[in-house]
Amino acid sequence: MKSISLYVEKDTWLTRTHPFTKLCYIFTAVSISLIIGRLWMFGLFIGISFFMLLSGKIIKKALPLLAFSFTILITIFLIHGLFHQGNETILFRIGSLCFYREGVWYAVRIGCNILNILLAFAVLVLTTKPTDLVENLERIGFSPKFGYVISSVFQIVPQMSGTMNTILDAQRSRGMETEGNLKTRAKSFLPLISPVVMSSLINTRERAIALEVRGFGGKCKKTYLKENKMKIQERIICIVMLVAVLGSVLFRIL
């Protein structure tokens, strides 16, 4: 059966790391960067995340996420470089367009923040099974409904992508033109998106029925097939990261 999550099956130290340790790293990377507010701090955590993805042998899977983010970053650069309300000093010109230093630096800060968050979450999403994350959340007292929401968030993008590819292949086999100029693509958009939406609604209903059949709403205490406890080293690492967050708060206050 084809996987419907972004998880990549790799036997590396990163995939064997407990999900809570990765969640703690996300909190640390995002919090410290925002609290300190310096570009070098954003760059530090971007480099750490990149190294973790590289050593975890999943950097190729993260590249499409980065490619998608660059479209947003270029848009932010153009908007703030040209039209930011605090623009005063001209940094450079491209033809008749003037890019201002204040807007460019503001766009750089936003871009670094986006990359930092994206890479930190990629460490978790690409190396953690959604079922393992949900199971560990339920172990510490979270509601199964909350766990189901988390699991759905991990699965909705790849699931809809797979459904769209299946419907697209079916339409091509029936002679519909789905490639070409903008007009041709626009004509094929509605016949493509309608089955995707209907299929998603049907899948949601079938999943709800399947969950109720399996006792999702039951009040009895659940049992788990395997133990997945955090190692002592990972607990120490999490404590160190939380102390680092508190230290950054004190640094910013003082």
Side-chain angles (χ1 to χ4, degrees):
M1 182 178 177
K2 187 178 179 180
S3 174
I4 57 173
S5 72
L6 297 175
Y7 169 71
V8 181
E9 185 68 44
K10 295 281 187 179
D11 187 19
T12 63
W13 68 272
L14 198 54
T15 55
R16 292 191 295 267
T17 303
H18 198 277
F20 288 171
T21 306
K22 301 172 192 176
L23 286 174
C24 191
Y25 170 72
I26 293 174
F27 175 74
T28 303
V30 176
S31 299
I32 293 181
S33 300
L34 292 176
I35 293 171
I36 299 298
R38 304 292 178 86
L39 286 178
W40 64 267
M41 185 60 69
F42 286 105
L44 175 63
F45 280 105
I46 289 173
I48 293 174
S49 299
F50 189 85
F51 174 76
M52 292 173 68
L53 294 171
L54 186 63
S55 62
K57 301 179 181 179
I58 53 171
I59 189 63
K60 290 184 179 179
K61 294 294 182 179
L63 291 180
L65 299 176
L66 296 177
F68 174 76
S69 68
F70 273 109
T71 304
I72 302 175
L73 297 179
I74 291 173
T75 304
I76 294 173
F77 176 79
L78 292 175
I79 292 175
H80 289 285
L82 295 171
F83 308 113
H84 185 66
Q85 62 179 1
N87 285 345
E88 294 180 356
T89 308
I90 296 177
L91 186 62
F92 61 90
R93 297 176 182 267
I94 300 179
S96 60
L97 300 177
C98 297
F99 288 84
Y100 295 85
R101 178 182 299 171
E102 292 81 6
V104 169
W105 278 110
Y106 186 77
V108 169
R109 290 175 62 86
I110 295 177
C112 289
N113 191 20
I114 292 174
L115 284 177
N116 181 37
I117 295 173
L118 186 64
L119 289 174
F121 272 93
V123 171
L124 172 69
V125 173
L126 297 177
T127 64
T128 306
K129 290 182 179 179
T131 53
D132 291 343
L133 177 60
V134 171
E135 185 176 296
N136 282 282
L137 288 174
E138 291 180 2
R139 285 176 188 268
I140 62 174
F142 280 88
S143 170
K145 294 181 180 180
F146 178 79
Y148 174 72
V149 172
I150 297 296
S151 179
S152 299
V153 169
F154 277 94
Q155 295 178 358
I156 188 170
V157 174
Q159 185 176 16
M160 291 190 69
S161 177
T163 302
M164 186 172 293
N165 291 333
T166 301
I167 295 174
L168 192 61
D169 291 339
Q171 290 178 341
R172 286 172 180 169
S173 66
R174 290 172 173 80
M176 178 177 289
E177 295 184 6
T178 58
E179 297 180 351
N181 55 30
L182 182 61
K183 184 178 180 181
T184 302
R185 292 176 180 271
K187 287 182 178 180
S188 64
F189 177 75
L190 186 60
L192 174 63
I193 200 65
S194 299
V196 171
V197 173
M198 293 301 297
S199 177
S200 298
L201 294 175
I202 293 172
N203 288 337
T204 301
R205 180 175 177 273
E206 292 179 348
R207 184 176 296 183
I209 295 174
L211 288 173
E212 290 302 323
V213 170
R214 290 167 172 80
F216 181 76
K219 303 298 182 181
C220 58
K221 185 177 179 180
K222 293 185 177 181
T223 58
Y224 301 95
L225 181 62
K226 59 181 181 180
E227 292 290 334
N228 189 17
K229 296 181 179 180
M230 292 182 67
K231 299 178 181 178
I232 297 178
Q233 299 91 326
E234 292 183 273
R235 293 178 184 271
I236 295 174
I237 292 173
C238 287
I239 293 173
V240 170
M241 288 191 286
L242 294 177
V243 170
V245 173
L246 295 176
S248 66
V249 173
L250 294 176
F251 175 82
R252 186 60 183 267
I253 293 174
L254 298 176

